[in-house]
Amino acid sequence: MTLGEFIAKMCEKAGLNQEFYNDYTNRLSKYKDIQDELLEYMNTGNLSCKVEISGYTAADILVWQIDHFKSHLDRGEYDYESNQSYMVLMAYDTLMKMKEDPNPVIQAFSNETGTDYAEKY
């Protein structure tokens, strides 16, 4: 299976359309290091975390996404389970965005966390 086919399958599982796929793969073509890491994920199912931007890896982004998702669940805003394909695609999407400008993502990391401590609300 090629990386493009793998991403297409993940997009399908995540409910993402052809337009998203085209944009994602077009942006991914600019970043050989992220392509290599995504290939490794395709082959092993593990995040290698070789790409690091401003101290953050795909695993850090994934943990933040899960934490962020849980905070919305705690508020009753979602009534569905997380989608692994979606979460992984978005982790690498965020990593690509960080290549361009890491500051908005770093800001988001500090603005919203889960609700697992009393002072949050």
Side-chain angles (χ1 to χ4, degrees):
M1 172 182 303
T2 68
L3 182 58
E5 291 167 339
F6 179 72
I7 294 169
K9 263 190 177 179
M10 288 182 67
C11 285
E12 183 180 329
K13 289 178 184 178
L16 298 167
N17 63 23
Q18 185 69 39
E19 184 179 338
F20 176 88
Y21 170 83
N22 292 342
D23 178 63
Y24 192 91
T25 54
N26 192 29
R27 287 183 300 118
L28 183 63
S29 70
K30 299 175 191 175
Y31 306 114
K32 175 81 168 100
D33 55 348
I34 296 176
Q35 288 176 44
D36 291 344
E37 188 165 322
L38 200 45
L39 266 170
E40 191 167 337
Y41 177 80
M42 178 183 85
N43 291 324
T44 67
N46 296 314
L47 302 172
S48 69
C49 299
K50 292 176 183 172
V51 177
E52 186 177 307
I53 302 167
S54 298
Y56 294 98
T57 67
D60 296 313
I61 295 166
L62 193 60
V63 167
W64 178 81
Q65 287 174 330
I66 291 167
D67 196 35
H68 183 76
F69 177 76
K70 285 185 341 187
S71 74
H72 286 279
L73 278 177
D74 290 347
R75 292 184 212 132
E77 296 175 11
Y78 295 134
D79 60 354
Y80 54 87
E81 295 291 323
S82 64
N83 180 306
Q84 181 178 345
S85 292
Y86 181 81
M87 299 293 260
V88 169
L89 283 169
M90 292 301 106
Y92 285 104
D93 184 67
T94 300
L95 205 56
M96 286 187 277
K97 289 175 182 169
M98 289 182 78
K99 285 274 195 177
E100 305 266 329
D101 182 6
N103 293 327
V105 176
I106 292 168
Q107 180 80 23
F109 286 165
S110 63
N111 285 341
E112 173 98 30
T113 61
T115 57
D116 46 356
Y117 60 95
E119 298 82 20
K120 179 66 181 178
Y121 293 105

